[in-house]
Amino acid sequence: MSPTRRSFIELSAATAAASVLPKDFFGQESVDAALCRKLAGDPLRPQYHLLPAHNWMNDPNGPIFFGGRYHMFHQYNPQGAIWGNMNWAHATSPDMFHWHHEPIAISPTPGGPDQDGVFSGSAVLDNGKPAMIYTGVAPPHSAADATLRDGAHTWRESQCLAVAQDNQLRTWKKVAEPVISGPPAGLQVTGFRDPVVWREGDKWMLILGSGFRDKGGAILLYSSSDLRHWTYLHPLVDAPFSGKAAVNPVDTGDMWECPDFFPIGNKHVLLISTMGKVRWKVGTYADHRFEPEREGVVDWGNYYAAKTMLDRNGRRILWGWISESRPDADLIKAGWAGAMSLPRVLSLSATNELETAVAPEVEMLRSAHVGSHEPETSPQNLRVVEEVRIQNLAAEVDLHLSNASEFRLRLHSGNGDFATIACSDRELTVNQTSARFTNIPHSSVKLHIFLDGSVMEIFVNESIAMTARVYQIPSGPLRLKLEGDAKVLSIGTWEIIPISKDRLTGSMCSQKTA
Ligand code: FRU
C-alpha cells in the first residue's frame, strides 16, 4: 500500500485533530513555545536529514541546482502532521546537506485547477529561467472527468505551469489555465499525475505517471515546443494488468506514480513508485519508446516517490521521501511526519543494475571517529566493534566483512535491541522488513548505515538499500554486537554533526526557544 494512500484514506478521520495549528509560514507564524521545545528536543526527529520545521511532508518536488544553490521543494501540509492540503515547501542548501528553510513556494489557488492541492512535479530551466510543471487537483466537473479515485477522494488532475519571478525562487507566477487539462481523449486512465520534463533536440518532452483501466501501469509521453502546448504521443512504456481489484490502483501496481526518466551511460533509467516502493527499470530509449532490460527495487524500506536531479558536477542525484510507519494519531501527537533521504549518487553496475551510495560529501558531517582496519586474522577489529558507543542517535557506521554469508548486527542498549540487521545469502532483514538479494558477492559485504533519530538508511554493497524507521528511545548509548561467522575487515564509526542546533525548527521557533 502506498504510504500516501494510507493517509488519503485516514485523512477525513484525522483532519479535525490536525487542523488545530495556526496557518503556517516558516518564520512568521505563531506557534506556541511548548511545541517548539517539544520538536527541537524530540530524540526521534532527525538532526541531519532535511525536514520541515513541523507538520507533514512527502514527495521531493523539482530539485534543482540554480544560482549556486540547491533548491529542494517537497509536498507539505501547512496545517497538520498528516497528509492533506498539499503545498510546495522550499528549502535551499549550498551543498545538499546543510538546509535553510524558505517560505512556502506554491500553494493552491482558490477556484483554480490546483484548488484542492499542488501535487508533485518537476523543475526545468526555460531559457535559463526556472519553471515548475506540477499536477493540480480540483473537484471533477462530472464523474467521467475524475482521474484520481482512491477510495477517499475523487479528483480531476491537470498539469499546471508556474514560472520563477526571482533568483531566490521564492515567488512563482502560475499560468492561469492548465497546460495539459486532462488525459488524451479515449484513454481510460487510473491516474494522471507527477510530470517530468526534459529537453530533447529542439523539443520539450514530458512524461506522466498513469495506468490504463483494466490494463496496467503506464507512462504517458508528450512533446512541446514551448512548455505550454503539449501533444500526446503514446505510452513511453506500459505493463500488463495485475488482474487484481483494489479501491486504489496504486496498491496493485496498476497506477504508476512519480516517474523519473534520465540517461546514465548509454542506457536510460525509469523510476516509478507503486505498491509502496520505488522501482527502477534500466533499458534502451529509442524512437520515443523505452524498452526495459533489467529492473529492481530502489529501496526496500520506508522510502517512496523518488526523484533525481543533476548536481553542480553533473552527477545524477536521487532524493526520496522517508515515510513514517506509525499511526496518524502518533504523528499528530509528535507534530511532524516525514523526512528527505540523504542525497544518493546513482550509477550502473557492470551488469546494468542501478546502484546507489550516499554522496561522499557526507563526510563533512563526520566528527568523533572510532575505527579499526587490522588484518583479517586480528581480533582487534571485532574488539573495536564491541567498543563502539553511539550517542544521541546520530552516527555513521561503515563495516566491511568477509566470509559474510550469514551474520547479524545488533544495535542495542540497556533497554534491549534497537535494531537488528540480519544478512543471509538471500536476504537482508532489518527488524521486520526484508530485501531480496539478486546478485550479491557474499564473500565480502560492505554495510553502510546512517542513523539519525528514528531514521536508518542502510546500504549493502551499494546494490541494496533499505530505509528503516525505529520509534524507540534507547536507555543509553547504542552498542554494536556482531553475531555469526563473518570476519571484520574494517570498522569505522563517526558521530554526525547535526545540521542545526534545533533539529531544523529554527525558522519557526528561534524566538520561542531562546
Ligand atoms: C506520491 C503521491 C503523488 C502525488 C502526491 C500527493 O506519494 O501520491 O502521486 O502527486 O503524492 O501528495
Side-chain angles (χ1 to χ4, degrees):
M1 181 154 64
S2 128
T4 302
R5 296 301 161 221
R6 183 178 68 83
S7 298
F8 275 168
I9 290 160
E10 291 174 3
L11 181 69
S12 343
T15 300
S19 54
V20 291
L21 292 174
K23 186 171 165 15
D24 180 281
F25 177 40
F26 289 154
Q28 291 185 22
E29 64 181 344
S30 62
V31 177
D32 69 71
L35 173 63
C36 287
R37 274 195 301 277
K38 183 171 88 163
L39 290 163
D42 180 350
L44 300 181
R45 201 174 139 90
Q47 304 197 74
Y48 62 95
H49 282 76
L50 168 64
L51 77 176
H54 70 156
N55 288 336
W56 166 278
M57 67 159 277
N58 56 293
D59 317 0
N61 295 147
I64 189 168
F65 179 67
F66 178 75
R69 284 183 82 76
Y70 292 96
H71 293 261
M72 174 61 78
F73 304 85
H74 59 78
Q75 293 284 282
Y76 176 63
N77 180 1
Q79 289 173 6
I82 55 163
W83 188 91
N85 185 34
M86 283 293 116
N87 285 237
W88 278 30
H90 180 200
T92 55
S93 169
D95 55 17
M96 302 194 291
F97 287 94
H98 295 91
W99 291 99
H100 172 79
H101 288 141
E102 305 281 350
I104 287 175
I106 309 181
S107 301
T109 298
D114 59 8
Q115 71 174 70
D116 287 349
V118 177
F119 275 21
S120 288
S122 305
V124 70
L125 285 182
D126 182 14
N127 270 324
K129 199 170 185 181
M132 295 297 190
I133 294 207
Y134 64 90
T135 301
V137 294
H141 300 305
S142 67
D145 201 28
T147 55
L148 189 160
R149 290 188 190 85
D150 61 14
H153 299 96
T154 304
W155 271 317
R156 170 166 53 97
E157 297 162 295
S158 61
Q159 316 315 319
C160 305
L161 181 71
V163 179
Q165 302 297 297
D166 68 314
N167 286 335
Q168 283 70 46
L169 310 191
R170 291 195 177 131
T171 320
W172 294 82
K173 186 164 178 206
K174 294 180 185 175
V175 172
E177 294 300 320
V179 293
I180 304 179
S181 59
L187 282 189
Q188 301 293 311
V189 296
T190 54
F192 187 66
R193 59 182 170 274
D194 309 334
V196 175
V197 182
W198 70 93
R199 190 82 187 158
E200 202 174 297
D202 60 352
K203 288 269 193 263
W204 292 105
M205 307 300 292
L206 176 149
I207 53 170
L208 281 175
S210 190
F212 302 130
R213 206 155 287 288
D214 302 328
K215 288 214 175 101
I219 300 295
L220 308 182
L221 182 67
Y222 289 76
S223 79
S224 164
S225 18
D226 61 2
L227 284 179
R228 282 154 178 82
H229 303 88
W230 292 92
T231 306
Y232 174 63
L233 301 180
H234 47 247
L236 175 73
V237 62
D238 52 13
F241 182 40
S242 69
K244 296 181 191 142
V247 175
N248 181 357
V250 179
D251 295 341
T252 54
D254 294 322
M255 160 62 199
W256 292 351
E257 302 184 290
C258 299
D260 201 354
F261 190 59
F262 48 87
I264 295 194
N266 59 0
K267 294 287 172 192
H268 266 73
V269 178
L270 175 71
L271 303 178
I272 55 163
S273 290
T274 191
M275 292 187 288
K277 297 228 170 350
V278 182
R279 288 145 210 280
W280 58 260
K281 295 172 193 288
V282 170
T284 302
Y285 176 55
D287 303 325
H288 291 148
R289 306 221 180 230
F290 178 62
E291 199 62 55
E293 290 149 8
R294 311 293 305 255
E295 54 186 37
V297 172
V298 169
D299 186 307
W300 293 81
N302 282 57
Y303 183 95
Y304 200 68
K307 191 158 199 70
T308 71
M309 65 171 198
L310 292 176
D311 75 356
R312 59 183 355 135
N313 302 310
R315 293 176 305 179
R316 182 59 65 174
I317 304 292
L318 179 80
W319 301 97
W321 161 40
I322 298 178
S323 56
E324 302 287 339
S325 53
R326 50 182 176 172
D328 283 357
D330 290 5
L331 305 181
I332 293 166
K333 204 164 145 208
W336 66 278
M340 195 66 73
S341 66
L342 296 173
R344 301 179 184 178
V345 181
L346 291 183
S347 58
L348 289 188
S349 72
T351 51
N352 287 333
E353 313 235 303
L354 193 69
E355 297 199 321
T356 58
V358 170
E361 298 89 315
V362 70
E363 291 178 9
M364 76 178 108
L365 301 180
R366 288 174 172 174
S367 81
H369 172 241
V370 171
S372 174
H373 194 307
E374 296 289 324
E376 192 178 325
T377 45
S378 158
Q380 167 69 3
N381 295 338
L382 185 58
R383 211 162 28 240
V384 171
V385 169
E386 299 194 347
E387 278 167 18
V388 166
R389 300 287 179 273
I390 296 173
Q391 312 281 349
N392 205 15
L393 291 180
E396 177 186 348
V397 177
D398 195 10
L399 188 61
H400 291 215
L401 301 170
S402 69
N403 188 25
S405 57
E406 193 108 35
F407 69 89
R408 254 161 46 111
L409 180 71
R410 289 170 45 212
L411 282 74
H412 63 103
S413 75
N415 61 352
D417 279 357
F418 177 83
T420 305
I421 300 171
C423 217
S424 71
D425 55 358
R426 286 172 187 276
E427 275 184 347
L428 165 77
T429 305
V430 180
N431 293 341
Q432 274 79 48
T433 310
S434 295
R436 279 189 309 280
F437 289 138
T438 40
N439 57 346
I440 267 270
H442 275 293
S443 49
S444 158
V445 161
K446 180 175 179 301
L447 182 64
H448 208 170
I449 304 170
F450 294 89
L451 168 68
D452 191 6
S454 53
V455 170
M456 281 176 93
E457 290 192 64
I458 300 168
F459 301 86
V460 176
N461 289 359
E462 300 189 352
S463 57
I464 296 277
M466 163 104 70
T467 301
R469 301 302 304 267
V470 183
Y471 303 104
Q472 197 201 103
I473 302 168
S475 59
L478 284 178
R479 300 162 172 232
L480 303 182
K481 177 122 187 80
L482 185 66
E483 297 171 347
D485 295 335
K487 297 253 176 316
V488 182
L489 293 176
S490 72
I491 164 89
T493 62
W494 293 264
E495 280 177 23
I496 293 285
I497 307 165
I499 58 172
S500 74
K501 290 191 175 57
D502 47 26
R503 296 178 201 259
L504 280 187
T505 56
S507 54
M508 174 182 81
C509 301
S510 47
Q511 284 90 43
K512 314 275 176 345
T513 49

